[in-house]
């Protein structure tokens, strides 16, 4: 792993997979076909691309029960405990509206309501993570979303990975469809004969899924399109090199485009971490992926002072930040931009990926400057309410009419003035 | 205005101006030029398209003061009172994070922080609305955004409309640039020698501005790209036809693509409103615009029952909804999807456009199903925080490692297990 002196202008930016014209053309065709032909197109694309023609698009109760029965009981308990922790954390995010009395009986309000229906896309194969089901579904449930649907492509054996079904069952979700790719996004956005449309689509996917989500955006809501994962670690000489190396590699093993960065005030630590990374890489099952990430995007920066290091982190705005220093909590207070912050030696980042309760869907690619991890707010919307009494109207109508006329909108002024001066 | 029997499947959807390939090519060129050449490109495009070469890109204190001095004092007071009302309403939306103690010293947190910098785009000419400045800036200020910048094209006289400058002055905003179009969006997103970049861009604009906002999205945040305005009115036979007609026209005068709809249980009211609309249209200054909107998209639907009418409104999910019925407040409770709700005869929609305190930037085109009006949440982001003590780590590490291995991520399991079992 490279070691460099910390300088201005360090960055997390990696080449982004934006999709090419050919892929976009395919996606637009699929969207149009599912929109106009519904289930027929959905089945045809499923057969062509997933190599499987489902007798029923929807997963049956028996399939779900079988997945639950087959799972190791200890793992089922672990998943259930993780779900409980995630629910507890997200319940603190519940919102209520408000009512602001203006006097004379007038009031303004804000009403917070859950979305009616949400669809979660779960990628197929080895990327089908039960933890993703927990992280996407629980905030929606806490928000009060009544209908939550999962779409995930079946393998050539016609099956969806058992872990996904078990996670769904744990949360009481039973509307699960064996569909994937752009055709799944189309079905969720537009609806078909058998699948009612949803209002928002969340969850990761390949480039076809990402392009399809971008295309249907506006017609339905989508979550952020996530980039490859990142970790930045801020450490001083009190930290343990092997622990830092292990945490850097836990991000690097996700993706050759993942980015793992250490910023440290200790030159000695820098050297030891570099050695440890190499040592641990050699015995890591996903060595090839992790090595590509570390070699291309991994850097250890040596900073002169802790405050230089903090400023560097704020300019990176990383998805994940670990702080392993003296007074780590006080340093965390100085961080303005980071998706998830992990304080101290025992808060290894995977703790948050699976179990602690915080969400693992976090803003990548420096978007933590303005974006947040998935949370309950993502599944509600707010309406404003105005109630003006006759008295309040009388007192304020001339002012409102003047403001409207200032903007050249005579019709607005007349609407406000149309009350009261007549009939009865 | 057309009268029709209410049926399933009524819609607010109008043809959307998505921009063509040629416009997109121009926008991409402008963005690339400003990104690489900074101020030079920004000035060149300003001269070419706004027909004005500013000596200084930034509006001077003297220009702002002159605008304030020239404005009618009564209007200044009206704007100030509107700003006060808007601030009061939005202050109720302030968020705080939370800290959740887990026992053994462990805790989880959510930290809510304001964006560092926000840019508001204000269109030029007659569409330069002081009220837009209030509606965009105040929520950002309440959120705690430190740097708020306004970009607005100068006219050929080198001036920005006085109303915009006055509104800015009222709110204490003095970083205002005389730039417009895609080049302004590029300057805000990427920064130039004289303009530091922002983290989020809000505000309406023409098709070039809308396309540019879409292109920079991801690099910075943007607000929703607003469609033409809409109003739906739900009324029974207790409502006054002339008031309804005036309110319908106040939306219709915005845009030939605006949409004004009445849903009523009274056939008699339907007929009278249609007559009133025609009568009022004939003497409306913006008759041409309003007539195009009413003729193409205005409809009066006659519903059998109030509950049919309510369901129709929920399926429309309109930007603005007025309820002028008996028990209007109780009916408002049944509305699930609407951007802004105006209850009763004296809550004419322009009351909210200018003065009551609610935001006038509201979701159009049925997106109120999943989107909200502009609010304080749009200017903050949330970070999650995990602090695990040694004891909590010890109790949970085996579970976390099992979940990681279930997903095939050995590096994650090893990271969590790397703590504790060694050294010291």
């Amino acid at each position: 792993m490279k070691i460099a002196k910390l300088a201005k202008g360090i960055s997390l930016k990696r080449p982004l997979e934006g999709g090419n014209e050919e892929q976009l053309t395919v996606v637009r065709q699929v969207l149009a076909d599912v929109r106009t032909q519904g289930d027929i197109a959905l089945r045809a694309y499923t057969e062509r691309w997933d190599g499987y023609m489902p007798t029923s698009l929807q997963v049956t109760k028996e399939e779900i029960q079988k997945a639950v029965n087959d799972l190791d009981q200890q793992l089922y308990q672990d998943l259930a405990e993780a779900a409980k922790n995630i629910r507890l954390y997200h319940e603190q995010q519940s919102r209520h509206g408000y009512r602001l009395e203006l006097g004379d009986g007038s009031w303004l309000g804000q009403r917070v309501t859950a979305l009616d229906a949400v669809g979660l896309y779960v990628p197929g194969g080895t990327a089908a993570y039960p933890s993703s089901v927990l992280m996407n579904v629980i905030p929606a449930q806490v928000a009060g979303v009544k209908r939550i649907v999962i779409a995930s492509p079946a393998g050539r054996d016609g099956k969806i990975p058992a872990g996904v079904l078990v996670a769904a069952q744990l949360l009481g979700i039973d509307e699960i469809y064996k569909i994937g790719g752009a055709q799944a996004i189309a079905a969720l956005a537009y609806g078909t004969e058998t699948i009612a449309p949803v209002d928002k689509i969340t969850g990761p996917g390949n480039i076809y899924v990402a392009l399809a989500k971008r295309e249907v955006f506006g017609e339905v809501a989508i979550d952020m399109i996530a980039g490859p994962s990142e970790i930045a670690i801020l450490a001083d000489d009190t930290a343990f090199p092997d622990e830092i190396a292990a945490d850097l590699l836990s991000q690097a093993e996700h993706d050759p485009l993942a980015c793992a960065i250490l910023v440290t005030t200790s030159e000695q630590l820098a050297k030891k971490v570099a050695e440890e990374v190499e040592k641990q890489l050699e015995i890591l099952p996903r060595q090839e992926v992790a090595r590509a990430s570390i070699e291309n995007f991994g850097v250890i920066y040596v900073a002169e002072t802790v405050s230089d290091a903090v400023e560097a982190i704020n300019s990176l705005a990383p998805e994940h930040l670990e702080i392993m220093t003296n007074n780590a909590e006080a340093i965390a207070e100085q961080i303005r931009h980071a998706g998830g912050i992990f304080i101290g030696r025992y808060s290894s980042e995977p703790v948050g990926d699976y179990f602690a309760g915080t969400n693992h869907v976090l803003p990548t690619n420096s978007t933590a400057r303005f974006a947040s991890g998935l949370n309950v707010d993502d599944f509600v919307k707010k309406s404003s309410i105005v109630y003006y009494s006759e008295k309040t109207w009388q007192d304020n109508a001339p002012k409102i009419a003047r403001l409207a006329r200032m903007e050249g909108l005579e019709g607005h002024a007349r609407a406000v003035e149309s009350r009261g001066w007549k009939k009865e």
Side-chain angles (χ1 to χ4, degrees), chain A:
Chain A
M1 200 167 169
K2 276 186 293 287
I3 301 181
K5 219 168 118 71
L6 182 63
K8 294 263 170 210
I10 69 169
S11 156
L12 289 166
K13 298 274 162 80
R14 284 140 292 158
L16 283 186
E17 170 61 288
N20 58 38
E21 276 306 310
E22 207 175 314
Q23 291 168 325
L24 186 59
T25 306
V26 169
V27 164
R28 287 186 172 154
Q29 186 65 51
V30 171
L31 293 175
D33 288 349
V34 174
R35 184 168 215 157
T36 54
Q37 299 161 40
D39 283 341
I40 291 179
L42 184 57
R43 285 171 173 277
Y45 282 118
T46 299
E47 189 172 18
R48 188 191 308 173
W49 283 325
D50 297 338
Y52 170 71
M53 175 58 117
T55 43
S56 158
L57 288 174
Q58 190 169 348
V59 175
T60 63
K61 284 197 167 51
E62 291 70 31
E63 287 175 279
I64 297 173
Q65 198 49 54
K66 183 171 184 323
V68 172
N69 295 343
D70 289 355
L71 190 77
D72 175 83
Q73 272 308 298
Q74 181 71 66
L75 268 175
Y76 190 85
Q77 293 303 327
D78 295 338
L79 272 176
E81 190 171 346
K84 198 180 118 233
N85 293 344
I86 297 165
R87 195 172 301 277
L88 182 66
Y89 178 78
H90 287 81
E91 277 169 354
Q92 320 299 317
Q93 296 166 6
S94 285
R95 297 291 295 275
H96 302 284
Y98 57 88
R99 182 173 166 134
L100 182 64
E101 301 291 341
L102 302 179
D104 299 320
S106 300
W107 58 278
L108 306 177
Q110 185 190 58
R111 185 190 295 166
V112 181
T113 44
L115 305 196
D116 281 354
V118 169
L120 164 60
Y121 186 84
V122 178
T126 54
Y129 296 143
S131 59
S132 289
V133 175
L134 304 186
M135 294 293 179
N136 280 272
V137 168
I138 292 172
Q141 289 183 324
V142 171
V145 175
K146 292 226 172 57
R147 179 172 165 249
I148 300 173
V149 182
I150 293 175
S152 189
R156 288 179 183 271
D157 59 355
K159 286 186 180 157
I160 286 182
V164 170
L165 298 184
V166 172
Q169 186 269 354
L170 250 171
L171 304 178
I173 304 298
D174 58 9
E175 190 178 348
I176 308 171
Y177 297 102
K178 297 178 182 178
I179 54 174
Q183 62 273 22
I185 302 302
L188 292 173
Y190 309 137
T192 69
E193 297 88 330
T194 56
I195 303 177
V198 301
D199 299 307
K200 181 164 190 164
I201 302 173
T202 69
N206 65 18
I207 187 66
Y208 292 98
V209 170
L211 287 171
K213 280 171 69 180
R214 266 189 205 280
E215 289 290 307
V216 301
F217 172 56
E219 194 124 9
V220 297
I222 62 169
D223 59 354
M224 278 223 138
I225 301 205
S229 196
E230 304 145 6
I231 190 168
I233 302 180
L234 174 54
D236 63 16
D237 55 14
T238 66
F240 296 93
D242 62 324
E243 298 175 3
I244 294 175
D247 288 2
L248 292 170
L249 289 175
S250 78
Q251 287 305 302
E253 76 170 345
H254 270 298
D255 192 320
L257 291 174
C259 182
I261 282 179
L262 168 63
V263 182
T264 178
T265 46
S266 163
E267 219 172 309
Q268 206 193 359
L269 185 81
K271 282 181 197 145
K272 283 193 190 155
V273 168
E275 285 164 27
E276 268 293 332
V277 164
E278 187 50 43
K279 209 169 97 189
Q280 294 183 23
L281 254 178
E282 277 168 25
I283 51 167
L284 192 68
R286 294 171 64 87
Q287 176 181 170
E288 207 178 326
V289 171
R291 189 176 289 281
S293 158
I294 292 290
E295 285 181 359
N296 290 318
F297 305 109
V299 190
I300 299 173
Y301 291 106
V302 180
E304 298 266 331
T305 64
V306 172
S307 84
D308 285 356
V310 166
E311 257 331 286
I313 298 294
N314 277 325
S315 77
L316 290 178
E319 182 189 16
H320 304 103
L321 169 66
E322 288 183 0
I323 304 177
M324 295 200 254
T325 61
N326 220 344
N327 293 321
E329 196 170 333
I331 288 177
E333 294 286 327
Q334 303 170 42
I335 300 299
R336 294 199 314 281
H337 310 300
I341 301 172
F342 299 79
I343 298 176
R345 180 179 170 197
Y346 294 102
S347 310
S348 174
E349 187 274 332
V351 160
D353 284 342
Y354 291 108
F355 194 78
T358 53
N359 208 291
H360 78 194
V361 181
L362 293 169
T364 57
N365 220 31
S366 301
T367 59
R369 290 189 65 82
F370 51 78
S372 310
L374 198 68
N375 65 88
V376 173
D377 292 344
D378 291 318
F379 299 101
V380 301
K381 66 295 197 295
K382 293 151 267 180
S383 302
S384 60
I385 306 175
V386 175
Y387 174 73
Y388 257 29
S389 67
E390 182 173 6
K391 170 82 166 66
T392 303
W393 166 80
Q394 234 162 16
D395 291 348
N396 296 299
K399 306 171 197 170
I400 301 169
R402 279 195 295 268
L403 289 169
R405 291 197 170 100
M406 180 189 186
E407 295 191 352
L409 295 171
E410 177 66 24
H412 284 58
R414 291 186 189 172
V416 175
E417 289 172 343
S418 71
R419 272 63 180 179
W421 47 264
K422 40 156 197 180
K423 68 220 154 190
E424 281 160 318

